[in-house]
Amino acid sequence: MDFILSRIQSQLAWVGTDDSIDWKLYVQASSWGVTLWECFLLLRQYPLYSKAAPPPALAAHLPAETFEKSQRYGKEKARVALFSKLYSQTLDSLLLHVGFYAWCWDTTAIPNLKGGEITHSILFSFLLYFVSSLPSLPISVYSTFVLEERHGFNKTTPALFVTDLLKGWAVAVVLGSPFLAAFLYIFQWAGPERFVPWVMTFMISFQCLMIVLYPTVIQPLFNKLTPLQNGQLRERVEALAGRMKFPLKHLYEIDGSKRSSHSNAYFFGLPWSKHIVIFDTLLQQSSAAQVEAVLAHELGHWFYMHPTKMMLVSQVHIFAILAVFPAFLPSRPFLRSFDFADQAPPTIVAFLLFQMILTPLEAVLGMGMNALSRQFEWEADRFACEVEEKFPDKSAAGEKEDPMSTRLGQALITLHVKNLSTVWVDWLYSAYHHSHPTLTERLKALEAYEPREKKQQ
């Protein structure tokens, strides 16, 4: 690893001495390039919200009135998204142009501050986070209390909105402070030449810690988790988990309807202790057999180790970023481009500005990650269709029930209908933004996955 890191640094040695590059101009141009690209994709998608009928594959499942509501909802969300992108990018450009980041660093430079650069960096990060988040509040308020309210999804009260905002800031401070302190301490202790493996070890450990803290400490601050009541669904899920040897420890219902009528289900936990969470809105909208099919899809992700694979890919991504970063850290010309005084570059500031430079690359990598995620979704769908063959329920022998593929298809249609999800999707917009295949694509695939016996009927 040392050889790889030293080779990377030698190839990038010019960053610390080349004074001819206007890094601020590069960041402005590249960030606007990404924003305009995303606006172009939105404009490709927007005409599809004017179509008068759903795709042929969905015509039998989507009532005309629901389709019209979905189109109106999608069109309004697209308009808000377009305004939000241009508004946010304009503000970011203005802040960068006037030297906002240097101002934040200078403002938090308290004389004789205990803790030195680490404490200074924490104060800088939170001032930057707080001030830069304020301009986005009007859009968040509009989205919640106008857009979502107009289309029947919002359940959030103004008091709950403010409470969630304050709690979010508090969690960011409580968790962010020790995280930043540890990150910066490791960097100072190990030095720019040896910090990469130590920081990666720390970040993996922090992720494992969050897996434990999130359900036990953080999520209860925002939602109430209650054990799923005894009944047909609980019996189905526990039986399926048992046949698969899925290490199910808790099966929860979450009060998602407290904020929105959108629905979902997911699992989390350490390898030996998993928790399944089902939104109460999903329980209200779907039958027990359909919810079981949705959870069979989620268990497919576990069976094929998709979360672990995504984590490994993300670790490679993090390694690449950390391996390149030291070339920018000692670069005074780099920081001068962003209005900082000619001084030894603070680690947190250099890292923040370095991430801005990566904006176009991150956009491309994000598209690749979405492609990988969609591939995992296909695999999980197929697993759900084949789970009864892979892990047969001998106690249900002789019982007649729709195949899992049919039940999963019904559940997906119900989710899209209740959530007024978009059914006409531009292929390029979807490739860039979507981590899941479209509903039409998934239904066609589910038909191909149907058990042979049903196809012969």
Side-chain angles (χ1 to χ4, degrees):
M1 180 180 290
D2 288 342
F3 173 75
I4 296 174
L5 294 175
S6 62
R7 288 285 294 175
I8 292 173
Q9 297 312 310
S10 65
Q11 293 295 318
L12 294 173
W14 56 270
V15 173
T17 57
D18 193 340
D19 217 349
S20 64
I21 300 175
D22 189 339
W23 290 105
K24 183 193 284 190
L25 179 61
Y26 165 81
V27 169
Q28 293 276 30
S30 61
S31 60
W32 269 107
V34 171
T35 297
L36 293 176
W37 164 251
E38 293 177 352
C39 290
F40 165 72
L41 294 178
L42 266 171
L43 294 176
R44 281 178 60 99
Q45 172 66 24
Y46 192 79
L48 298 180
Y49 296 122
S50 297
K51 283 185 173 287
L58 300 177
H61 308 292
L62 204 59
E65 183 181 358
T66 302
F67 174 71
E68 291 173 4
K69 289 181 180 179
S70 170
Q71 292 291 80
R72 289 196 299 271
Y73 182 49
K75 185 177 288 188
E76 188 168 356
K77 283 201 301 180
R79 286 197 294 263
V80 172
L82 184 62
F83 173 80
S84 176
K85 288 181 185 298
L86 294 173
Y87 169 74
S88 298
Q89 181 57 46
T90 301
L91 284 176
D92 289 345
S93 293
L94 287 173
L95 293 176
L96 192 62
H97 178 71
V98 301
F100 172 69
Y101 300 96
W103 174 84
C104 284
W105 182 257
D106 293 339
T107 301
T108 51
I110 302 173
N112 303 317
L113 182 67
K114 186 177 180 180
E117 183 183 325
I118 291 179
T119 305
H120 187 181
S121 297
I122 292 172
L123 294 175
F124 162 79
S125 298
F126 289 127
L127 177 63
L128 183 67
Y129 169 73
F130 175 74
V131 175
S132 60
S133 67
L134 292 179
S136 64
L137 280 177
I139 294 177
S140 181
V141 170
Y142 179 87
S143 297
T144 301
F145 296 106
V146 178
L147 194 156
E148 295 292 307
E149 184 79 30
R150 181 179 295 155
H151 294 277
F153 291 118
N154 179 49
K155 305 295 181 184
T156 302
T157 63
L160 183 59
F161 181 87
V162 173
T163 301
D164 282 350
L165 181 66
L166 296 177
K167 286 180 180 178
W169 285 344
V171 170
V173 170
V174 171
L175 291 179
S177 297
F179 176 84
L180 283 173
F183 173 84
L184 295 170
Y185 175 79
I186 292 171
F187 195 93
Q188 291 179 356
W189 169 74
E193 299 81 11
R194 298 185 298 117
F195 85 102
V196 174
W198 293 104
V199 168
M200 290 194 66
T201 301
F202 162 69
M203 294 185 74
I204 292 173
S205 301
F206 184 80
Q207 289 173 348
C208 293
L209 177 63
M210 287 302 298
I211 290 175
V212 175
L213 289 181
Y214 181 77
T216 57
V217 179
I218 300 174
Q219 193 166 45
L221 295 173
F222 300 92
N223 290 97
K224 183 179 180 182
L225 292 173
T226 56
L228 184 67
Q229 63 183 6
N230 294 327
Q232 184 185 23
L233 176 59
R234 187 177 189 94
E235 293 172 0
R236 283 174 175 268
V237 175
E238 289 179 341
L240 177 59
R243 296 197 302 275
M244 291 178 57
K245 301 191 183 309
F246 177 77
L248 177 62
K249 184 164 186 179
H250 293 294
L251 184 55
Y252 291 117
E253 175 183 343
I254 189 171
D255 60 341
S257 59
K258 179 179 179 181
R259 291 173 176 80
S260 171
S261 56
H262 291 297
S263 50
N264 198 5
Y266 60 93
F267 75 88
F268 62 89
L270 296 168
W272 57 87
S273 177
K274 298 293 186 182
H275 311 263
I276 293 178
V277 178
I278 309 171
F279 279 52
D280 55 356
T281 46
L282 180 60
L283 297 175
Q284 296 161 10
Q285 297 166 0
S286 304
S287 67
Q290 292 172 354
V291 176
E292 180 191 22
V294 172
L295 294 178
H297 165 94
E298 296 300 325
L299 294 179
H301 288 305
W302 170 81
F303 183 80
Y304 289 121
M305 300 180 67
H306 292 159
T308 302
K309 292 175 182 177
M310 290 295 280
M311 184 176 179
L312 289 175
V313 171
S314 70
Q315 296 309 311
V316 173
H317 179 207
I318 292 171
F319 172 81
I321 291 174
L322 294 177
V324 174
F325 169 58
F328 290 80
L329 177 61
S331 175
R332 294 173 184 256
F334 175 58
L335 257 70
R336 282 199 301 269
S337 295
F338 296 96
D339 307 298
F340 284 85
D342 192 5
Q343 59 183 354
T347 303
I348 193 66
V349 172
F351 191 68
L352 171 67
L353 299 177
F354 170 65
Q355 287 182 304
M356 292 182 184
I357 290 174
L358 299 179
T359 297
L361 179 60
E362 291 295 319
V364 175
L365 291 176
M367 194 171 178
M369 292 293 286
N370 280 339
L372 179 61
S373 176
R374 287 194 297 273
Q375 179 60 38
F376 288 167
E377 294 300 322
W378 293 121
E379 292 179 3
D381 276 355
R382 180 155 198 156
F383 175 85
C385 297
E386 298 174 348
V387 69
E388 293 172 311
E389 297 176 12
K390 292 179 180 290
F391 304 97
D393 184 2
K394 297 178 181 179
S395 65
E399 294 183 10
K400 291 292 183 181
E401 192 170 43
D402 286 334
M404 193 71 83
S405 58
T406 301
R407 286 184 273 152
L408 180 58
Q410 292 169 345
L412 292 175
I413 291 169
T414 299
L415 285 170
H416 273 69
V417 168
K418 296 297 184 182
N419 293 334
L420 296 182
S421 301
T422 301
V423 293
W424 283 108
V425 184
D426 174 72
W427 72 270
L428 187 56
Y429 178 89
S430 179
Y432 184 81
H433 284 290
H434 291 170
S435 60
H436 287 58
T438 66
L439 177 60
T440 304
E441 292 171 335
R442 295 180 77 176
L443 292 179
K444 287 181 179 178
L446 289 174
E447 289 179 6
Y449 297 155
E450 284 181 351
R452 196 173 303 165
E453 298 80 20
K454 185 181 178 187
K455 292 182 179 180
Q456 293 175 347
Q457 289 179 358

